[in-house]
Amino acid sequence: MTAVQPKPEYSETFERTPAAVGISRDLVRHAASAWELDGYVTESAVLVVSEPVTNAVKHTRSRHLLVIVEIPVDDRLRLVVVDFAPDLIPVLRTVCSDSPDGRGLALVDALADRWGYDLLGPSGHPSRKRTWAELAVSAKPGDQ
């Protein structure tokens, strides 16, 4: 049995501006195209990456944020956003129907197979936060 090698990752560091949301979506689309992912997975991933990037832009004081798109194993697409606001953790909330905000993590929860966050840095004094989500992908016939 031969070991399956993970595909190369796509990553980019962005300035924390509203333009980062569109740029991160483009990065996901570029990676998905290179890996020949189907349209449903691609568009789901584009929506999923938008939420943590939007939250970082709106709620953190980070100057920059890092977005990583990878397929660490054949059946998983992993989206990662790293920011410098470890005190602002993502929390899935119940939102009132008339509230204009707060639905993003519900969307992530609905589209991703799993999601979460990790605090990065020294124990007890993290300096960064990594928010991640994973979506299932199917292997292409020639990839096996």
Side-chain angles (χ1 to χ4, degrees):
M1 179 191 299
T2 53
V4 175
Q5 294 296 317
K7 294 179 177 11
E9 73 177 36
Y10 289 80
S11 65
E12 196 163 335
T13 301
F14 309 115
E15 286 193 37
R16 186 191 56 85
T17 66
V21 178
I23 297 168
S24 67
R25 290 175 182 158
D26 290 343
L27 180 66
V28 170
R29 283 191 181 101
H30 178 77
S33 175
W35 296 324
E36 299 178 344
L37 299 181
D38 73 44
Y40 177 80
V41 170
T42 300
E43 291 311 308
S44 295
V46 166
L47 290 171
V48 168
V49 82
S50 298
E51 172 59 17
V53 173
T54 298
N55 282 345
V57 168
K58 284 177 131 179
H59 304 296
T60 74
R61 294 179 185 218
S62 300
R63 288 191 62 201
H64 298 94
L65 55 108
L66 170 65
V67 176
I68 303 168
V69 185
E70 61 186 349
I71 296 183
V73 295
D74 272 355
D75 66 345
R76 295 270 157 208
L77 173 65
R78 186 173 171 93
L79 307 165
V80 178
V81 178
V82 179
D83 65 46
F84 292 88
D87 52 326
L88 298 173
I89 60 172
V91 177
L92 183 60
R93 302 167 203 232
T94 303
V95 180
C96 298
S97 61
D98 59 347
S99 175
D101 295 319
R103 290 177 180 75
L105 278 179
L107 183 67
V108 169
D109 193 56
L111 293 173
D113 292 302
R114 19 182 262 150
W115 67 272
Y117 70 92
D118 305 302
L119 300 179
L120 306 172
S123 180
H125 301 291
S127 59
R128 293 162 290 148
K129 172 181 74 251
R130 174 177 48 215
T131 305
W132 55 268
E134 293 182 353
L135 288 79
V137 297
S138 300
K140 295 284 179 193
D143 290 347
Q144 297 163 352

